């Protein structure tokens, strides 16, 4: 019997309609755990580096995590992996909700799509019954509308449906995959679904998921439960409101947005409005938010409430989550929060990434103001801030006029437009829009996290380490007193020494060596979460979380029957991390690509930045070009990867 995992994948050839239930090798779980880890291995084995995003050979994999469907709280993430049309690298945006649990209960760990369908279809999975169904009648329908239509058609209100809208159908590079109360948003998974003419994937399952040592697992979960209850009544002092608790940033619970609205940049990631959060704004935004929230909601088996059902008069209800509450209003310079609740509903129906798309719209208007785009490009566009954002969003998802250019994202649009537009595409890393943040002094920790993260999104590598030094020694001492999540006690001393300014402040402290250790810890936790299917809000993304490196090995061991300690767990996720790295190296990614936007920090230190990269690469066992060495790969049982890289001339004599 297989424990935690089902031991089966679904293989779907969209070109022929052939569907196979394939038993997997148990050693894959032993080597890579599951989720992102095993998906990376499949991409390495089956997707040649010459494959382009819209080639039939680009696999689209929907994956559960190892602990999805078990009693583990917040084990509800679905990892969707593919070669991104934006970055041209291996992407893996995740979504919460209930989809992954249903797939596990249907008896599958992954659904692997290959090739392209000659007509629009959707996949329906009901335990052992799996079929491709005609979706011609769903073409042009919104992503949320499609979900409801499919549930009605199947006569199953509990079916979980992941669907695309117009943006995906039209292969917009920031098209998302929407699903109930969550979405797989970043780097264009919706565009890959649209290219394959796959409108949706619906799933319903009724089978069991087995644990190797169930009683032991439940006893461990009791400890997790006790800690969650404690933290919900004892928020962390001396940190911003959204970081004081656990769960993804609970922006539907909290109404205080002083930190986000004044620390993040507005428009096309250009400026901070430091005195924006006035008593009047506080009152107005709080009233608006509370008036539209019908109820707070959770994902599968999660005790927190990170999302909300939004019920505004005159528009369909929808689920809002996390930072999309702010992205459109801040990008458009609209001070009325109600604008966000109106435009996000339309954007989710279209199926677009709520982080990149607002910046792209602001980028378009900035080019118009600079005279690079003309009045002809915006013929018929309203002049008010709200109206023009709605107007351009409509054209972007339909690829009409200037929207056809902007639909590829700021990096590719700027290249196509020319005439100096590249200078306005200033907030990208590896061709992908980042959070709209512009700060003062270089932060060495964030320099490494931004530069080297395979997710190409800062929210998937930061987390357990505080975002800034505490103001006083007393605060630092209070923070380190109760910190059982640490992998090593030395991190307490690092935090105690870290000061807001001076010799023990940024950019000089933490030292490059300390930064490497901290970033490696953060990265390790995210990779564990992504293999297990655990929401980062309950583990790698928040301060002092319920799940951490000291209890994860015990939970994994009880669930699977393997004997996993901290060192072996780190080895497993390092194996998948280095395989992922090599996959992207094989597609051309090098040190030259690992740099934050030049205006991300006002004060930069080029020599220090180069030292940080070199030190980090050495710490990871990579050569000076950011490529894993043969010694590192063989240490992780990846000698075949070293052979491949050497055969392609990417590594030379094991070093590069």
């Amino acid at each position: 019997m297989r424990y935690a995992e089902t031991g089966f994948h679904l293989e779907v050839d969209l070109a022929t309609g052939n569907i196979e239930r394939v038993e997997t090798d148990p050693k894959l779980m032993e080597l890579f755990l599951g989720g992102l880890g095993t998906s990376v291995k499949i991409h390495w084995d089956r997707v040649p580096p010459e494959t382009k995003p819209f080639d039939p050979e680009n696999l689209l994999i929907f994956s559960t995590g190892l602990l999805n469907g078990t009693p583990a709280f917040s084990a509800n993430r679905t990892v969707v992996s593919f070669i991104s049309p934006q970055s041209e690298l291996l992407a893996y945006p995740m979504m919460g909700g209930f989809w992954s649990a249903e797939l596990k209960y249907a008896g599958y760990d992954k659904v692997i799509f290959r090739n392209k369908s000659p007509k629009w279809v959707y996949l329906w999975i009901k335990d052992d019954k799996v079929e491709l169904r005609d979706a011609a009648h769903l073409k042009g329908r919104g992503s949320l509308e499609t979900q409801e239509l499919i549930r009605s058609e199947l006569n199953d209100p509990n079916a979980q449906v992941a669907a695309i809208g117009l943006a995906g159908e039209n292969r917009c590079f920031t098209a998302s995959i929407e699903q109930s109360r969550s979405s797989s948003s970043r780097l264009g998974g919706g565009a890959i679904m649209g290219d394959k003419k796959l409108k949706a994937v619906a799933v319903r399952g009724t089978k069991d998921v087995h644990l190797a040592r169930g009683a032991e697992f439940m006893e461990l979960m009791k400890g997790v439960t006790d800690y969650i209850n404690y933290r919900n009544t004892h928020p962390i002092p001396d940190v911003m409101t959204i970081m004081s608790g656990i769960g993804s940033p609970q922006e539907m619970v909290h109404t205080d947005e002083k930190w986000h609205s004044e620390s993040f940049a507005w428009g096309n990631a250009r400026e901070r409005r430091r005195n924006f959060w006035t008593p009047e704004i506080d009152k107005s935004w709080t009233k608006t938010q509370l008036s539209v929230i019908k109820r707070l909601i959770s994902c599968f088996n999660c005790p927190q409430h990170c999302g909300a059902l939004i019920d505004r008069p005159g528009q369909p209800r929808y689920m809002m989550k996390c930072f999309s509450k702010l992205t459109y209003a801040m990008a458009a310079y609209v001070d009325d929060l109600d604008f966000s609740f109106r435009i996000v509903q339309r954007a989710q129906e279209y199926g677009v990434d709520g982080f990149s798309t607002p910046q792209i719209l602001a980028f378009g208007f900035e080019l118009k103001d600079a005279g690079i785009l003309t009045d002809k490009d915006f013929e018929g566009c309203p002049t008010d801030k709200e109206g023009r954002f709605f107007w351009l969003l409509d054209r972007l998802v339909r690829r009409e006029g200037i929207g056809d250019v902007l639909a590829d994202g700021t990096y590719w649009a700027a290249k196509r437009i020319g005439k100096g537009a590249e200078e306005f595409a200033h907030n990208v890393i590896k061709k992908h829009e980042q959070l709209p943040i512009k700060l003062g002094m270089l932060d060495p920790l964030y320099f490494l996290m931004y530069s080297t993260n395979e997710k190409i999104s800062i929210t998937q590598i930061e987390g357990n380490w505080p975002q800034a030094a505490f103001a006083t020694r007393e605060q630092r001492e209070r923070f380190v007193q109760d910190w059982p999540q640490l992998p090593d006690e030395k991190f307490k001393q690092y935090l105690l020494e870290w000061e807001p300014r001076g010799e023990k402040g940024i950019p000089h402290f933490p030292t490059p060596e300390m930064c490497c250790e901290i970033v490696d810890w953060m990265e390790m936790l995210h990779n564990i979460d992504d293999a297990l299917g655990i929401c980062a809000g309950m583990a790698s993304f928040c301060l002092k979380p319920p799940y951490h490196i000291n209890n994860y090995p015990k939970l994994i061991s009880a669930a699977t029957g393997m004997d996993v300690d901290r060192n072996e767990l780190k080895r497993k996720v390092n194996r998948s991390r280095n395989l992922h790295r090599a996959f992207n190296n094989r597609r051309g990614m090098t040190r030259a690509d690992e740099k934050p936007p030049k205006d991300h920090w006002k004060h930069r230190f080029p020599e220090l930045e180069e030292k940080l990269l070199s030190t980090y690469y050495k710490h990871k066992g990579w050569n000076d070009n950011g490529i894993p060495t043969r010694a590192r790969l063989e240490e992780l049982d990846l000698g075949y990867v070293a052979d491949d890289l050497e055969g392609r001339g990417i590594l030379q004599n094991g070093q590069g």
Side-chain angles (χ1 to χ4, degrees):
M1 180 180 290
R2 304 284 279 270
Y3 295 111
E5 63 173 354
T6 71
F8 292 93
H9 295 168
L10 273 178
E11 291 266 359
V12 182
D13 186 333
L14 291 167
T16 64
N18 186 56
I19 300 172
E20 295 180 84
R21 178 176 180 261
V22 179
E23 186 172 5
T24 60
D25 185 346
K27 288 191 177 295
L28 280 177
M29 188 269 281
E30 295 174 13
L31 289 169
F32 298 98
L33 293 179
L36 176 63
T38 44
S39 289
V40 168
K41 173 62 172 166
I42 294 168
H43 284 285
W44 173 272
D45 289 343
R46 296 174 53 179
V47 182
E50 299 80 17
T51 303
K52 303 298 183 185
F54 294 129
D55 285 349
E57 296 78 13
N58 186 10
L59 295 181
L60 175 67
I61 303 178
F62 286 71
S63 179
T64 69
L66 185 62
L67 295 185
N68 288 155
T70 74
F73 289 135
S74 308
N76 50 46
R77 259 39 193 175
T78 304
V79 181
V80 185
S81 53
F82 51 89
I83 296 171
S84 164
Q86 228 185 352
S87 69
E88 300 182 318
L89 303 173
L90 181 59
Y92 61 104
M94 289 167 282
M95 58 188 180
F98 289 70
W99 198 94
S100 62
E102 289 295 338
L103 185 65
K104 207 76 166 285
Y105 296 148
Y108 311 100
D109 297 312
K110 300 181 192 290
V111 184
I112 303 171
F113 294 98
R114 64 181 185 271
N115 296 325
K116 302 183 183 186
S117 173
K119 62 178 183 178
W120 283 100
V121 294
Y122 73 88
L123 185 71
W124 168 226
I125 305 166
K126 179 68 180 291
D127 294 330
D128 296 332
K129 181 182 179 181
V130 185
E131 59 179 331
L132 284 168
R133 299 174 64 120
D134 182 76
H137 60 298
L138 299 173
K139 187 177 185 299
R141 300 286 192 171
S143 62
L144 309 180
E145 181 185 18
T146 295
Q147 294 174 47
E148 293 306 315
L149 288 170
I150 287 176
R151 289 192 186 100
S152 177
E153 184 175 304
L154 298 172
N155 194 28
D156 192 336
N158 293 315
Q160 296 302 310
V161 185
I164 60 172
L166 278 178
E169 291 182 14
N170 292 322
R171 304 197 313 181
C172 299
F173 284 12
T174 61
S176 60
I177 304 167
E178 298 292 328
Q179 179 260 135
S180 182
R181 58 201 64 195
S182 190
S183 63
S184 175
S185 298
R186 314 225 73 188
L187 290 162
I192 302 302
M193 279 186 71
D195 182 61
K196 294 182 180 298
K197 285 190 165 56
L198 178 65
K199 180 66 176 179
V201 187
V203 60
R204 185 81 170 98
T206 62
K207 299 180 182 180
D208 294 325
V209 175
H210 301 281
L211 299 175
R213 302 193 293 269
E216 178 185 333
F217 189 89
M218 295 308 296
E219 187 63 26
L220 290 166
M221 284 306 303
K222 182 179 182 301
V224 173
T225 304
D226 290 343
Y227 182 81
I228 290 171
N229 291 336
Y230 170 79
R231 277 295 309 281
N232 282 338
T233 56
H234 295 79
I236 297 173
D238 307 318
V239 299
M240 67 199 74
T241 303
I242 62 166
M243 296 302 294
S244 63
I246 52 177
S248 294
Q250 295 181 321
E251 292 183 64
M252 298 297 102
V253 175
H254 302 299
T255 59
D256 181 356
E257 290 292 357
K258 177 178 174 61
W259 186 81
H260 272 140
S261 64
E262 294 188 348
S263 297
F264 283 24
W266 292 60
N268 181 26
R270 284 297 186 185
E271 65 171 330
R272 295 167 65 183
R273 298 174 70 182
R274 295 179 182 272
N275 299 310
F276 172 76
W277 196 257
T278 62
E280 292 75 21
I281 288 290
D282 186 1
K283 182 178 179 181
S284 168
W285 281 31
T286 298
K287 180 180 179 181
T288 296
Q289 180 170 326
L290 296 180
S291 71
V292 299
I293 292 179
K294 181 72 172 179
R295 67 174 183 270
L296 297 172
I297 57 175
S298 306
C299 293
F300 172 80
N301 196 26
C302 182
Q304 304 304 97
H305 299 97
C306 301
L309 174 62
I310 304 302
D311 186 8
R312 280 193 76 263
Q315 70 180 42
R317 292 179 176 181
Y318 69 99
M319 309 293 184
M320 177 178 274
K321 58 273 180 186
C322 197
F323 195 47
S324 57
K325 182 178 84 176
L326 302 180
T327 52
Y328 285 92
M330 290 178 65
Y333 280 98
V334 172
D335 295 353
D336 183 357
L337 186 62
D338 186 61
F339 167 69
S340 279
F341 291 112
R342 285 186 285 116
I343 197 169
V344 168
Q345 187 276 331
R346 186 179 298 189
Q348 287 189 15
E349 196 71 85
Y350 284 148
V352 287
D353 174 13
F355 282 79
S356 290
T357 307
Q359 286 187 59
I360 296 167
L361 301 178
F363 163 79
F365 289 113
E366 198 171 71
L367 292 183
K368 181 179 183 297
D369 293 341
I372 295 174
L373 294 177
T374 67
D375 290 341
K376 184 177 180 180
D377 293 315
F378 291 86
E379 187 174 356
C381 178
T383 57
D384 66 289
K385 294 177 181 178
E386 296 185 9
R388 67 181 195 167
F389 253 58
F390 276 105
W391 181 90
L392 191 53
L393 174 64
D394 292 345
R395 276 143 190 82
L396 183 149
V397 301
R398 289 180 170 85
R399 283 191 174 273
E400 295 175 352
I402 191 59
D404 181 46
V405 179
L406 297 176
D408 291 347
T410 59
Y411 174 87
W412 295 108
K415 283 190 168 298
R416 186 170 167 186
I417 293 168
K419 298 183 289 186
E422 291 90 341
E423 289 299 312
F424 293 81
H426 66 104
N427 198 43
V428 298
I429 297 175
K430 297 169 186 170
K431 307 167 187 172
H432 177 49
E433 293 82 13
Q434 298 300 304
L435 284 180
I437 302 175
K438 302 299 172 185
L439 302 171
M441 184 70 70
L442 173 79
D443 185 324
L445 286 164
Y446 276 78
F447 172 82
L448 285 178
M449 289 191 284
Y450 268 110
S451 300
T452 63
N453 178 17
E454 302 300 339
K455 179 67 180 278
I456 322 177
S457 173
I458 191 61
T459 55
Q460 292 301 323
I461 194 165
E462 65 178 338
N464 284 192
W465 185 260
Q467 294 186 353
F470 290 102
T472 68
R473 175 80 182 194
E474 180 184 20
Q475 291 173 331
R476 297 194 287 274
E477 290 176 346
R478 181 162 55 236
F479 187 87
V480 304
Q481 280 177 356
D482 180 25
W483 206 358
Q485 295 85 354
L486 285 176
D488 194 301
E489 290 292 300
K490 65 185 176 184
F491 290 108
K492 289 184 178 180
Q493 190 59 39
Y494 296 169
L495 189 69
L496 287 171
E497 293 181 35
W498 192 24
E499 298 177 349
R501 58 191 61 84
E503 293 183 1
K504 288 297 182 74
I506 62 171
H508 312 292
F509 195 90
T511 66
E513 291 74 19
M514 292 176 183
C515 287
C516 291
E517 292 174 341
I518 295 167
V519 171
D520 193 49
W521 167 30
M522 300 296 95
E523 174 192 280
M524 172 186 66
L525 291 172
H526 278 284
N527 276 273
I528 294 171
D529 288 349
D530 299 344
L532 303 183
I534 297 284
C535 172
M538 295 291 274
S540 53
F541 186 69
C542 67
L543 297 172
K544 300 186 177 182
Y547 296 117
H548 47 81
I549 190 59
N550 295 317
N551 63 7
Y552 261 152
K554 299 173 184 177
L555 286 161
I556 294 168
S557 297
T560 65
M562 295 189 300
D563 291 322
V564 179
D565 59 18
R566 290 198 324 175
N567 290 334
E568 180 58 24
L569 178 55
K570 184 174 182 179
R571 177 177 166 82
K572 291 180 189 298
V573 296
N574 267 330
R575 182 178 292 124
S576 62
R577 167 72 163 108
N578 279 268
L579 185 61
H580 193 162
R581 182 77 179 189
F583 184 95
N584 284 339
N585 291 146
R586 200 165 64 163
R587 293 189 62 81
M589 189 187 76
T590 67
R591 182 183 185 125
D593 300 298
E594 307 225 277
K595 52 189 178 184
K598 63 183 180 180
D599 65 345
H600 188 85
W601 295 283
K602 184 177 181 180
H603 300 289
R604 299 288 291 265
F605 300 83
E607 290 185 8
L608 174 60
E609 293 174 20
E610 292 303 313
K611 182 178 180 180
L612 283 163
L613 269 185
S614 295
T615 306
Y616 181 74
Y617 287 171
K618 184 177 180 180
H619 181 86
K620 296 294 291 183
W622 302 344
N623 68 19
D624 207 44
N625 207 20
I627 300 166
T629 63
R630 172 172 283 279
R632 181 57 169 153
L633 292 169
E634 288 183 343
E635 176 190 346
L636 297 169
D637 307 312
L638 296 172
Y640 61 91
V641 176
D643 294 341
D644 184 274
L645 295 180
E646 285 187 350
R648 297 176 185 277
I650 297 170
L651 275 179
Q652 297 176 5
N653 300 319
Q655 294 296 319

